[in-house]
């Protein structure tokens, strides 16, 4: 028998090992990015409805024993949840967790950066869709551009591995694509362009995107004909490139066209503790209720294994399995990005 199956690791029914947890610690946020949620916000969860830090630590501990070694903290905006830093520090000390990362909108105080550095954060993904204050206001519906740019500079100054996430939106930020690529020439940053997905919480309708990864790449190659392809890391969700002599790199994430599902190693837990075996799946099972009903660690482990044993092959299959009217009413803030 193949050695990997003799260890107590978590595999899905397609032979893919799961080793990366994306944990959304809240659905709340201080911004209102229109591709993510409506201006009036969402029907945010009450404190009692979301997992406590103790419940999250318990689940991470169980998953770490099943070979999960990477954790990303996301949301909503993770830093709007009280006491996030001590929680992350505890997670960073869980046996088996080798890489702890966070995705943030960068509107918090700069003191967070020292805290992240001190706990040995692996990477910070900063959401920034444009390089202009007015467009930033239109996209996020908040006036925080200067603050986010200051946060960005402070991350680089602290030598933290920094990635910028930019959602490509036909209506708003096509003019920013090339300037954001140019940013990689001076800064040691990975700028990643993300295809817009249909998870905007009803903020707007969704028509299948025209600006897919091929079109984004064509556009960049026209400006930088000598763009070189980098070798992508195993399980990478982005196709990566570099402008010759640049300090940083450029990534393109086919999150809507879904050409990357074949190597997906991700487990997603929503703030309410629902498991998503795929970004495009409806929350399937409540680990919150299971734990609050008294499940033992062994029962929780068995449940993860059973649920991943019936995982959709890819995002298209997962989408076909969910109720037809549901997709654009989900928000990325409740899914966890
Ligand atoms: N609030 C944090 C932030 O914005 O960085 C973390 C949560 S946010 C939901 C995680 C990531 O999802 C962000 O990079 C955001 O740009 C991305 N995102 C949100 N809605 C999206 C959508 N409809 N399509 C593609 N990406 C989206
Ligand atoms: Fe908030 Fe992040 Fe969603 Fe923007 S993308 S509204 S920052 S959760």
């Amino acid at each position: 028998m193949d050695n990997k199956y003799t260890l107590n690791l978590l595999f899905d029914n397609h032979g893919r090992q799961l080793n990366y947890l994306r944990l959304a610690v809240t659905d709340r946020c201080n911004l209102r990015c229109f591709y993510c949620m409506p201006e009036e916000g969402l029907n945010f969860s009450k404190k009692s409805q979301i997992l406590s830090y103790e419940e999250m630590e318990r689940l991470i501990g169980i998953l770490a024993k099943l070979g999960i070694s990477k954790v990303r903290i996301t949301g909503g905006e993770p830093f709007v949840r009280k006491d996030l830093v001590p929680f992350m520090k505890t997670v960073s000390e869980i046996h088996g967790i080798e890489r702890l990362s966070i995705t943030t909108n960068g509107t918090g105080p700069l003191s967070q950066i020292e805290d992240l550095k001190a706990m040995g954060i692996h990477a910070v993904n900063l959401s920034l869709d444009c390089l202009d204050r007015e467009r930033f206001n239109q996209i996020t519906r908040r006036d925080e551009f200067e603050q986010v740019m200051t946060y960005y500079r402070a991350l680089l100054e602290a030598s933290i591995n920094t990635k910028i996430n930019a959602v490509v939106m036909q209506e708003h930020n096509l003019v920013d694509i090339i300037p954001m690529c140019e940013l990689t020439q001076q800064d040691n940053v990975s700028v990643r362009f993300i295809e817009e997905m249909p998870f905007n919480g009803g903020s707007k309708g969704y028509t299948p995107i025209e600006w897919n990864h091929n079109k984004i790449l064509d556009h960049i190659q026209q400006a930088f004909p000598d763009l070189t392809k980098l070798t992508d890391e195993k399980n990478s969700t982005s196709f990566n490139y570099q402008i010759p002599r640049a300090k940083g790199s450029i990534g393109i994430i086919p999150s809507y066209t879904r050409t990357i599902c074949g190597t997906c190693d991700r487990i997603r837990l929503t703030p309410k503790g629902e498991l998503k075996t795929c970004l495009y799946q409806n929350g399937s099972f409540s680990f919150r209720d299971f734990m609050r009903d008294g499940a033992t660690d062994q029962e929780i482990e068995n449940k993860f294994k059973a649920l991943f044993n019936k995982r959709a092959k890819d995002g298209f299959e997962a989408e076909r399995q969910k109720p037809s009217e549901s997709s654009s009413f989900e928000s990325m803030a409740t899914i966890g990005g």
Side-chain angles (χ1 to χ4, degrees):
M1 193 195 279
D2 190 328
N3 197 22
K4 66 190 182 185
Y5 293 107
T6 62
L7 300 168
N8 190 24
L9 300 173
L10 187 57
F11 282 86
D12 71 11
N13 46 324
H14 307 284
R16 295 173 288 205
Q17 189 189 344
L18 287 309
N19 63 9
Y20 181 11
L21 170 66
R22 295 177 68 98
L23 178 67
V25 296
T26 180
D27 53 14
R28 290 171 189 260
C29 187
N30 55 327
L31 300 189
R32 292 287 182 272
C33 306
F34 84 96
Y35 49 75
C36 180
M37 63 170 85
E39 186 148 24
E40 63 277 16
L42 301 166
N43 185 13
F44 295 116
S45 309
K46 296 191 197 71
K47 192 168 176 219
S48 61
Q49 292 177 304
I50 62 174
L51 292 179
S52 67
Y53 285 140
E54 291 72 25
E55 287 170 329
M56 291 183 205
E57 284 158 24
R58 182 175 176 209
L59 289 175
I60 297 170
I62 293 167
L63 288 169
K65 288 193 184 124
L66 289 172
I68 280 65
S69 61
K70 298 182 280 183
V71 176
R72 173 169 297 279
I73 305 297
T74 179
E77 171 48 39
F79 280 114
V80 303
R81 185 152 177 184
K82 211 167 144 249
D83 296 328
L84 182 78
V85 168
F87 165 69
M88 286 182 69
K89 190 163 182 308
T90 307
V91 173
S92 72
E93 288 162 0
I94 292 176
H95 185 72
I97 301 304
E98 291 163 9
R99 278 190 188 188
L100 178 64
S101 310
I102 188 165
T103 304
T104 175
N105 62 27
T107 57
L110 299 186
S111 56
Q112 288 169 354
I113 294 174
E114 287 154 39
D115 294 330
L116 293 172
K117 180 102 180 157
M119 72 179 74
I121 195 84
H122 171 71
V124 174
N125 287 21
L126 182 69
S127 295
L128 179 64
D129 306 308
C130 66
L131 293 176
D132 172 80
R133 182 174 171 188
E134 193 45 44
R135 280 195 295 285
F136 183 95
N137 292 358
Q138 283 167 9
I139 294 168
T140 67
R141 300 167 173 132
R142 296 290 186 272
D143 189 8
E144 295 277 1
F145 177 69
E146 301 299 339
Q147 162 61 25
V148 177
M149 287 309 288
T150 305
Y151 200 96
Y152 168 62
R153 291 277 154 224
L155 283 170
L156 295 187
E157 218 146 274
S159 302
I160 290 181
N161 177 8
T162 303
K163 298 177 183 180
I164 289 179
N165 287 354
V167 178
V168 175
M169 294 158 281
Q170 210 160 305
E171 317 90 317
H172 284 284
N173 63 350
L174 298 183
V175 295
D176 290 285
I177 295 178
I178 301 307
M180 292 186 83
C181 290
E182 285 166 353
L183 205 58
T184 70
Q185 294 180 294
Q186 286 88 45
D187 294 345
N188 182 11
V189 62
S190 166
V191 174
R192 295 129 43 90
F193 298 101
I194 306 176
E195 291 176 346
E196 186 181 349
M197 291 180 272
F199 304 128
N200 58 51
S203 158
K204 59 185 188 114
Y206 183 82
T207 35
I209 51 162
E210 194 188 311
W211 277 78
N212 62 25
H213 64 105
N214 288 324
K215 190 155 172 137
I216 298 168
L217 179 60
D218 277 355
H219 182 68
I220 297 173
Q221 277 174 327
Q222 275 173 31
F224 304 103
D226 48 1
L227 192 73
T228 52
K229 177 82 188 72
L230 300 176
T231 307
D232 300 323
E233 265 182 43
K234 187 172 166 266
N235 306 113
S236 170
T237 52
S238 55
F239 303 126
N240 296 288
Y241 304 87
Q242 192 167 43
I243 301 168
R245 294 172 298 286
K247 287 195 182 154
S249 61
I250 297 166
I252 304 177
I253 304 183
S255 42
Y256 182 70
T257 45
R258 285 163 264 182
T259 49
I260 38 164
C261 299
T263 55
C264 182
D265 60 353
R266 293 159 180 229
I267 301 170
R268 289 188 156 82
L269 281 170
T270 71
K272 289 182 178 170
E274 286 183 327
L275 174 74
K276 276 184 178 282
T277 59
C278 171
L279 191 55
Y280 284 84
Q281 182 214 14
N282 263 5
S284 58
F285 181 82
S286 171
F287 277 95
R288 176 197 68 192
D289 294 347
F290 199 44
M291 283 190 286
R292 292 182 189 177
D293 287 344
T296 64
D297 285 8
Q298 187 60 57
E299 285 167 338
I300 293 171
E301 176 182 321
N302 293 347
K303 189 51 96 175
F304 273 114
K305 286 181 175 167
L307 292 167
F308 273 102
N309 203 28
K310 47 181 190 179
R311 189 189 198 198
K313 177 167 66 54
D314 55 30
F316 295 103
E317 188 175 303
E319 195 172 37
R320 279 196 299 276
Q321 289 167 354
K322 72 188 205 184
S324 57
E325 74 287 358
S326 62
S327 69
S328 59
F329 296 108
E330 262 194 286
S331 161
M332 196 62 112
T334 55
I335 300 172

